[in-house]
Amino acid sequence: MAIINTPLETGKITFKNRLVYPPITIAKGSPDGLVTDESLNYYEEKMRGGSFSLCVVEHCYITRQGRASARQLSIADDTAIPGLAKLAEVIKRAGTMAVVQMNHAGSCTMEEVTGMKLKGASPVRNPRHGGVPEEMTKQDIKEVVNAFGKAAERGVAAGYDGVEIHSAHSYLLNQFYSPLTNQRTDEYGGSLENRIRIHLEVIEAVRKAVGSDYPVFLRLGARDYAEGGNGTEAAVRAAKILEEAGVDVLDISGGMCGYVNPESQRPGYFGEESKAIRAAVKIPVITTGGIKEPQEAEALLREGAGDLIGVGRTVMKDSSWAGRALECFR
Ligand SMILES: Cc1cc2nc3c(=O)[nH]c(=O)nc-3n(C[C@H](O)[C@H](O)[C@H](O)COP(=O)(O)O)c2cc1C
């Protein structure tokens, strides 16, 4: 019996199978970050047939200060709720769970779009993209934490089955987590415990906003693949702390290297990290990266690289992929 078709029950969440459509920014939002018909049509096409157990909606900015790009979706104020609700409805109508990803881009924000100064963990150049930000003050951090909580509340109001905190791909929370971009000397910098202090505060704020029964996911940019950056050991320790703090699902991707692994293009190229993390935690782990064939997804499940498998670019090219993948093993 193939694992890919097997449901996964966590007590809080039921995944009907192991396939996840990962967050993929399609840049079809309105200038105000509202969901457009173009966005709805895109997701409608990708979710048709309901073959994915879960769709994580692309990263939405939680404050204008943290906006990454011109046509990114917003979850920064209540005007975004009706559009996000329509989007959740499109996904859920297909028979797939909908989770919305919440993000602050930090030093990767586009100043020309926000009209505001770049702010990040420390005044160092972001190795992936972006400039040199101002160091966030404690008041700035408080505002970010608060904004994540408010955004999560909007996710609930829009009918999502869960929210995902974005801490990967060199965005703000990743900037705190990675020693490459966090050179703070206060309680938010230095040790791993300090570098993920903001994560714990965000999780607490989100939990307060959504209640104990609501699923909270976190996407962790586990490893940087760069000298002086985070490695697997840090990722495993962080994962355990994040689990303890109340995260329900860990979604594993890359850190300052973005969503690609500079050292490997093999299907499931973050599999080594996700496998080590999965062995250390009890909550489900999603692994994503470079999967093209259904057999590759099944092999990753079998080798314990993840409980759930994200497939993005392959599905961008072929909307019927997930249905065929499940069919292969029936
Ligand atoms: C165009 C594009 C947009 C993306 N947008 C996001 C995003 O909004 N949030 C996120 O966490 N990852 C984003 N990603 C990363 C994907 O979720 C995924 O991790 C990555 O594409 C690797 O998986 P794949 O090889 O199956 O595509 C994006 C990737 C692409 C190609």
Side-chain angles (χ1 to χ4, degrees), residues 169 223 225 252-255 257-262 266-275 287-289 305:
H169 310 160
R223 198 174 144 187
Y225 300 91
I252 303 306
S253 190
C257 55
Y259 54 76
V260 293
N261 178 342
R266 79 173 175 97
Y269 47 66
F270 294 124
E272 204 181 299
E273 285 63 45
S274 56
K275 188 175 182 174
T287 195
T288 304

Side-chain angles (χ1 to χ4, degrees), residues 6 8 14 27 33 46 88 92 119 134 154 160 164 174 203 209 211-213 249 284 288 303 310 324:
T6 314
L8 177 68
T14 302
K46 295 300 168 200
K92 289 164 75 164
K119 290 194 182 184
E134 270 180 21
R154 293 183 195 109
Y160 283 85
E164 178 167 278
N174 198 168
I203 294 162
S212 56
D213 294 337
V249 177
T288 304
E303 74 183 53
R324 283 192 292 100

Side-chain angles (χ1 to χ4, degrees), residues 22-26 57-59 101 164 166 168-169 171 219 251 253 259-260 269-270 288-291 310-314 316:
I24 298 270
T25 304
I26 52 171
V57 166
E58 64 197 84
H59 70 160
Q101 192 183 53
E164 178 167 278
H166 198 349
H169 310 160
Y171 292 118
R219 192 162 223 205
D251 183 0
S253 190
Y259 54 76
V260 293
Y269 47 66
F270 294 124
T288 304
I291 295 145
V311 185
R313 285 167 295 181
T314 298
M316 286 176 85

Side-chain angles (χ1 to χ4, degrees), residues 278-312:
R278 184 170 178 267
V281 300
K282 293 185 190 73
I283 52 176
V285 167
I286 307 175
T287 195
T288 304
I291 295 145
K292 295 198 174 81
E293 300 298 333
Q295 291 75 11
E296 296 163 356
E298 178 66 16
L300 287 162
L301 290 165
R302 289 205 173 271
E303 74 183 53
D307 301 283
L308 297 148
I309 304 290
V311 185

Side-chain angles (χ1 to χ4, degrees), residues 129-328:
H129 56 83
V132 179
E134 270 180 21
E135 176 165 302
M136 281 194 168
T137 62
K138 293 206 181 142
Q139 182 55 32
D140 291 329
I141 292 175
K142 223 181 240 170
E143 285 170 18
V144 166
V145 168
N146 215 8
F148 267 107
K150 290 274 176 214
E153 232 170 76
R154 293 183 195 109
V156 175
Y160 283 85
D161 300 300
V163 289
E164 178 167 278
I165 299 163
H166 198 349
S167 176
H169 310 160
S170 82
Y171 292 118
L172 183 69
L173 294 187
N174 198 168
Q175 289 155 30
F176 274 88
Y177 167 59
S178 175
L180 295 175
T181 40
N182 185 341
Q183 295 174 2
R184 300 177 70 98
T185 52
D186 62 5
E187 68 268 36
Y188 294 96
S191 67
L192 173 72
E193 285 70 17
N194 280 356
R195 300 198 310 276
I196 60 168
R197 187 178 301 279
I198 187 170
H199 297 67
L200 304 192
E201 292 176 0
V202 166
I203 294 162
E204 193 184 345
V206 167
R207 193 49 85 197
K208 215 178 213 173
V210 301
S212 56
D213 294 337
Y214 191 77
V216 175
F217 292 51
L218 187 139
R219 192 162 223 205
L220 182 66
R223 198 174 144 187
D224 294 324
Y225 300 91
E227 210 184 320
N230 284 312
T232 308
E233 196 200 315
V236 168
R237 273 175 55 213
K240 283 198 218 167
I241 299 170
L242 296 168
E243 174 184 39
E244 193 140 305
V247 166
D248 296 300
V249 177
L250 277 168
D251 183 0
I252 303 306
S253 190
M256 290 297 152
C257 55
Y259 54 76
V260 293
N261 178 342
E263 294 175 3
S264 168
Q265 292 186 354
R266 79 173 175 97
Y269 47 66
F270 294 124
E272 204 181 299
E273 285 63 45
S274 56
K275 188 175 182 174
I277 288 168
R278 184 170 178 267
V281 300
K282 293 185 190 73
I283 52 176
V285 167
I286 307 175
T287 195
T288 304
I291 295 145
K292 295 198 174 81
E293 300 298 333
Q295 291 75 11
E296 296 163 356
E298 178 66 16
L300 287 162
L301 290 165
R302 289 205 173 271
E303 74 183 53
D307 301 283
L308 297 148
I309 304 290
V311 185
R313 285 167 295 181
T314 298
V315 176
M316 286 176 85
K317 289 188 205 124
D318 176 3
S319 303
S320 63
W321 187 89
R324 283 192 292 100
L326 296 179
E327 219 32 65
C328 274

